[in-house]
Amino acid sequence: MTVTDPSLSLVEAAVPVQGRSRMPAFLRRYLRNRVSVAALIVFLLILVFAFVGPMVWKYSFDVFTDDNSQPPSLDHPFGTDSSGYDTLAQVMRGTQRSVQIALFVALTATIIGAVVGALAGYYGKLVDAVIMRIVDLVLVFPSVAVAAVLAYMSMGTETSWITIAIVLSLLAWPIVARVVRSTALTLAGTEYVQAARGAGATDLSIIVRHLIPNSMGTITVAVTVLTATAILSETSLSYLGFGVQPPDTSLGLLIANAQAAIITRPWIFYFPGFFIILIALTSSFIGDGLRRALDPRQSAGAGS
Amino acid sequence: MSADIVTAPDMREPSSGAGRHPLLQVRDLVVTFATPTNTVNAVRGISFDVARGEVVGIVGESGSGKSVTATAIMGLHGETARIKGSIRLDGDELVGASDKALGKVRGKRIAMIFQDPMTSLNPVMTVGNQVKEAVLIHRSMSGAEAQAESIRLLELVGIPNAAERAASYPHEFSGGMRQRVVIAIAMANDPDLIIADEPTTALDVTVQAQVLDALEVARKHTNAALILVTHDLGVVAGRADRVMVMYGGRAVETGDVDDLFYRSRMPYTRGLLASIPRLDNRLLPLIPIKGSPPSPASLDGSHCPFAARCEFVTELCTSSEPPLIDVPGAGHRAACHYASDYARVPERNPDLVEAPPRVPGTALAPSDGEPVLSVQHLTKNYSVRSKNKKRTVHAVADVSFDIAPGETLGLVGESGCGKSSVSRSVVRLQDMTGGRVTLNGDDLAAVSGRRLRVMRRRIQMVFQDPYSSLDPRMSVEDILAEPLRLSKYPQADRAARIAELLSAVGLSPTMVTRYPHEFSGGQRQRLGIARALATDPEVLVLDEPVSALDVSVQAGVINLLRNLIRDRQLGALFIAHDLSVVAHISDRIAVMYLGRIVEIGDSEDVFTNPVHPYTKALISAVPLPDPILERTRESIQLHGEVPSPLDPPSGCPFRTRCAIFEQSLTEEQRTRCRGEVPALIPHESRQAAACHFPDLYPVPQPAATRAD
């Protein structure tokens, strides 16, 4: 340390400056977390498996093979079921459907929930009261029953997976709205939001620039939880017969079909079950990594 | 940890305790906190004694280790803390003692008073029962005896109608009253030692004086020694016998209070004394200490913790940590390599001062020019529900003032007086109930929507808390670009403008990519100021801009604000509860009480010749960091606390605490105070006070504490 020139002395020496744009810093923070990186890789592999796999695998999910009830072998790595369907092909297709539904639900429900929750928390008073009563109302619906009825009404159409996804989204957004509202309520009172208002920012600009970014931690956790619950809800619906309809398939439907065979042909139960757990786990770790990476305070090592 | 850290007692044993060991003997105390990534040395080897009946002040800024020391003595440090060294109470070792053994010491022999009286009492238990519980833990007596004892204790600390009020719950008490209850609990078992950790920091200044007096009563009554932990040099100046200044986990200077204040040998102590705003030196410039306090993690004993901020730093300071060494004068020790070589540490160089000294009378009077900001008859009511009835709180009642360009109006008052409501109404962060606010002639209250958003650029606010006023997810660049974007500042010029703003507040333009958490409190407040300046406002509203900052960095921010206001000819409304700070920055001062301005005038006039009895009491209650002045000056004690704005007194709002009303008035005159709200009556040409009988102020009584 040298004697500092007093005229410059008010400012401490600058710490090494980090990258200028936010994206590399964000990526760097994400990449520092090994578990999240591993989860992301596994998840990408699942996507390849689900979307590319069916194109290259010799069997199709809706074509009977000559082999019935075969345990896993080189020809049928996941075995076959009693009708002769190749389980690997079915799990690929099922994973594809389940992931589509889960991501759709996670994204739409989160967007609706985040916007509605931010509005309620930011404006408070009457807006809050009205929105939160609607939220309460939706939350008390017995979701599986409602979903069953709605899905039943649209059964048999070509795009039934998307119907199920919409139904599940409409039932799931209030969960996100509740957590985002409580975060927004706190944030709306902070001095930086006051400062933005004082600088002439519009409500929309404050919500987009301050409330939502600062709720990202809450929101990513919500996306993660929703992805996992959407997979499970889809599974329950399909299991009950109100979900994805044959000949199309999903992980839930595969498990439903396998229930009678759990003793005799366990492979047709275990493989879809394994993928459900894998998707839920990886999405949870990815969400955790995202939450940390989105927070600039996690950088620079020494947390203050 | 180097071996040269004090092994001998670094405080003189007072003569009264000669022949016996001191009440409390702390030796080589080291407290470390283990975090997942590293270990933090919060206290790095301190030794001191406390004699019976003695008052020792421990002074330091945040992170200095003063509170950790206090909690370590009580054995209340958390699970994550590791303690080494020795703490002996009357010869009994407390470090490493079992929880059971410590339980016998806590409350009985050592009592502790915490900072926040809102959280240190149990909200679902009556205060009487809480005192009674404390009495019964260590003493065997019947319930009725304990009850009587608790009421006696509550009376001692100055709770009126103690027998009746013992049945109240904490939420029915004000902050000052609660702190008295905490003091009553502390003295319940006749402790030998009372540790008070920032006991008055959360309280208003007039209440602070009362609570410190109650503490003094408790101490005298129990004959206990007192350790007073505080960041406020003014509080220790008048109350402590000896002082220990802590910095970076070490005691950097110890000695008798007079030695420390008048013959300090440690550059930090001297810097602190030169940098704190003082009511009595309000025309002298503040000399800031550069930088900010070190983080405890950065201290490894290899250099003087103050080296980075010291203007006399040498090679020696950065290569070894100085031990506490004796300086001439009994018991006075300082941790500076040059402490005994006084010539090496010259008086601080006045050339370093950023701001020229203030000259009274140069401020533009509002009558001299068009005011930039004019507030006329501002009122603000809130409706609240109380006891299931809808009621109206008159937070601001008929407040009027003008501010000229380049002028700072200080708005002072205690919590709940409505000063923040004024500031928020003026910048239209909330709507006013009535009145007009004009900005260079344009009515701010009448516009809305887009026109309001455009007009907002012309009046900007700096907030109190630098930790919540900056969006943690935005880089400095984004934070400063936001107001520029909103005011349609040309995109191409923004980077240059941001660099210019950063330089204007004393920050490096290279910092644009950093995030708020990478800055210290003082630097963050500078960022807040830069953001407020971005739109080139005509008026700055500063709401307690330095009250959340460490004392050693306050001065720099105050000087910066003064320069900016003068150079840019801004009108400034400076809101603060701290009179010393206001005195240093304001050209004029308005004193608020219960939603009304009770006195307004030129700063010098108000401080030298206050007219309103409340102003007199307020000025008198501010502790001065000067032991002799503190001991000799007469203090005016205000009784009671600010009445609830829900239920204000009729007529003059101040009459319930007014010395004139109490002592000088006839019943007929009092009727007038009860019935009629006094208007602001001009006293001198530029000073006005809202009092019916300002000339009847009673002759000050000889200084006497109320409870004696």
Side-chain angles (χ1 to χ4, degrees), chain A residues 10-11 22 197-198 210 214, chain B residues 354 456 460 471 478 482 506:
Chain A
L10 280 160
V11 182
R22 187 174 309 198
R197 276 181 69 200
H210 295 287
N214 278 288
Chain B
E354 289 184 320
R456 280 185 189 284
Q460 286 289 304
D471 189 331
D478 294 339
E482 181 172 46

Side-chain angles (χ1 to χ4, degrees), chain B residues 66-318:
Chain B
K66 61 186 192 303
S67 288
V68 177
T69 305
T71 43
I73 295 169
M74 274 298 265
L76 291 176
H77 48 85
E79 298 265 309
T80 54
R82 295 179 61 89
I83 291 206
K84 279 184 283 188
S86 156
I87 301 171
R88 288 175 181 272
L89 180 72
D90 224 351
D92 302 333
E93 181 61 55
L94 300 185
V95 173
S98 69
D99 233 26
K100 200 176 160 207
L102 281 177
K104 289 198 176 124
V105 172
R106 287 185 202 136
K108 184 161 173 60
R109 291 170 66 191
I110 308 181
M112 185 137 183
I113 295 164
F114 294 95
Q115 171 172 353
D116 189 358
M118 304 293 156
T119 54
S120 50
L121 291 173
N122 181 346
V124 296
M125 215 170 146
T126 64
V127 295
N129 279 342
Q130 297 189 51
V131 181
K132 191 169 141 188
E133 186 188 59
V135 170
L136 285 173
I137 286 177
H138 292 290
R139 286 199 267 177
S140 54
M141 53 170 71
S142 73
E145 279 170 332
Q147 180 77 25
E149 174 68 8
S150 61
I151 288 166
R152 192 183 68 88
L153 289 168
L154 288 172
E155 269 168 1
L156 267 173
V157 293
I159 291 188
N161 308 327
E164 221 173 279
R165 302 226 58 189
S168 310
Y169 288 90
H171 72 269
E172 298 170 88
F173 274 38
S174 65
M177 286 304 200
R178 284 187 225 194
Q179 200 62 313
R180 288 168 201 258
V181 174
V182 175
I183 293 172
I185 290 172
M187 61 188 285
N189 292 292
D190 262 332
D192 298 325
L193 175 66
I194 299 175
I195 302 173
D197 187 1
E198 301 269 13
T200 56
T201 305
L203 304 174
D204 278 321
V205 61
T206 59
V207 180
Q208 164 170 292
Q210 298 168 2
V211 168
L212 287 173
D213 284 343
L215 197 56
E216 183 64 19
V217 169
R219 196 182 68 78
K220 286 209 172 112
H221 194 79
T222 56
N223 225 346
L226 173 67
I227 297 180
L228 189 59
V229 180
T230 177
H231 69 280
D232 189 337
L233 282 164
V235 168
V236 293
R239 310 273 167 178
D241 300 319
R242 286 185 305 135
V243 180
M244 172 162 86
V245 178
M246 287 190 72
Y247 190 82
R250 296 277 307 273
V252 293
E253 185 155 16
T254 64
D256 280 353
V257 63
D258 288 7
D259 273 339
L260 206 109
F261 276 84
Y262 301 125
R263 289 173 289 280
S264 165
R265 291 301 178 86
M266 167 70 195
Y268 172 63
T269 316
R270 295 171 72 182
L272 212 51
L273 285 166
S275 71
I276 49 175
R278 292 172 56 157
L279 207 48
D280 53 337
N281 286 350
R282 59 188 172 274
L283 296 179
L284 296 180
L286 301 176
I287 309 177
I289 306 178
K290 67 188 178 190
S292 47
S295 93
S298 71
L299 300 169
D300 52 7
S302 70
H303 56 88
C304 171
F306 189 61
R309 307 177 69 190
C310 184
E311 54 198 90
F312 313 114
V313 65
T314 67
E315 202 78 12
L316 184 59
C317 304
T318 53

